[in-house]
Amino acid sequence: MARPVQYNINPKPADYNGHISMVDMPDGHMGEGFFATKLSEVVGLARKNSIWPLPFATSCCGIEFMATAAAHYDLARFGSERMAFTPRQCDLMMVMGTISKKMAPVVKQVYLQMAEPRWVMAVGACASSGGIFDTYSVLQGIDQVVPVDVYVPGCPPRPEAILDGLMRIQDLVGQESLRRRNSEHYQKLLESYGIQ
């Protein structure tokens, strides 16, 4: 029997000794009174640590997400404390729960209203693959209507798994090229979803 994955999400950093843990500096050249680095490194660092999520919760995964945002797990530690329900102010859409085929155009419309750069996280089995609802009315994964960057497994996923998914999004955001969104590959990806 396989052992379950153990998550250790501690509210205090591993090196906690009463001091505040700071974000690592990007690679660069340091001298007396100056620090020089690439613009993409600075933009990536700023984006990575200030993600504004849009929770699109339709069922039980949304309840687990509420626990993730509460004090015990504290989503704010990752720079994501500002939940917004207006797509024009968000850059991460977190789809949680069962999405019916009638709801699919709404998910796509919300995605289209978000400004670039934007990322999508499918939280839970239902958003990732339809879950146990293999029926005519349930969308078998939101990746049929919008491109998904990170999938978080579970039914429903534990708050630790949601935090792990957010950290994977942060890794993607921090390493993304400033020109990726203008690339031919990205445009072809959007066209495959019917997005201009």
Side-chain angles (χ1 to χ4, degrees), residues 91-108:
D91 45 19
L92 170 64
M93 181 165 68
M94 301 173 74
V95 181
M96 300 165 261
T98 310
I99 303 297
S100 67
K101 288 185 180 174
K102 281 187 174 182
M103 185 66 80
V106 176
V107 172
K108 188 172 185 176

Side-chain angles (χ1 to χ4, degrees), residues 1 6 15 17 27 33 38 48-49 65 74 83 86 88 93 112 119 132 136 170 189 194:
M1 187 164 130
Q6 296 292 319
D15 61 347
N17 57 6
D27 294 331
K38 295 186 289 185
K48 171 183 173 177
N49 293 295
F65 177 71
D74 195 17
M83 302 293 158
T86 56
R88 289 174 181 86
M93 181 165 68
L112 291 173
W119 296 273
I132 60 170
Y136 70 94
Q170 284 184 319
L189 173 70

Side-chain angles (χ1 to χ4, degrees), residues 30 51 54 59 110 120 124 128-129 141 147 155 159 163-164 178-179 183:
M30 184 179 276
I51 294 175
L54 168 77
S59 53
V110 169
V120 177
S128 299
S129 65
C155 185
L163 289 177
D164 186 59
L178 293 178
R179 292 186 172 85
S183 71

Side-chain angles (χ1 to χ4, degrees), residues 52-105:
W52 286 5
L54 168 77
F56 194 99
T58 60
S59 53
C60 47
C61 291
I63 304 300
E64 288 295 322
F65 177 71
M66 289 179 209
T68 306
H72 185 73
Y73 294 99
D74 195 17
L75 190 66
R77 292 182 292 146
F78 302 95
S80 298
E81 66 269 4
R82 187 190 181 280
M83 302 293 158
F85 297 94
T86 56
R88 289 174 181 86
Q89 298 176 355
C90 296
D91 45 19
L92 170 64
M93 181 165 68
M94 301 173 74
V95 181
M96 300 165 261
T98 310
I99 303 297
S100 67
K101 288 185 180 174
K102 281 187 174 182
M103 185 66 80

Side-chain angles (χ1 to χ4, degrees), residues 26-28 35-47 173-174 176-179:
D27 294 331
F35 178 76
T37 188
K38 295 186 289 185
L39 177 65
S40 60
E41 298 278 333
V42 174
V43 171
L45 183 69
R47 283 181 180 168
V173 171
E176 184 175 275
S177 165
L178 293 178
R179 292 186 172 85

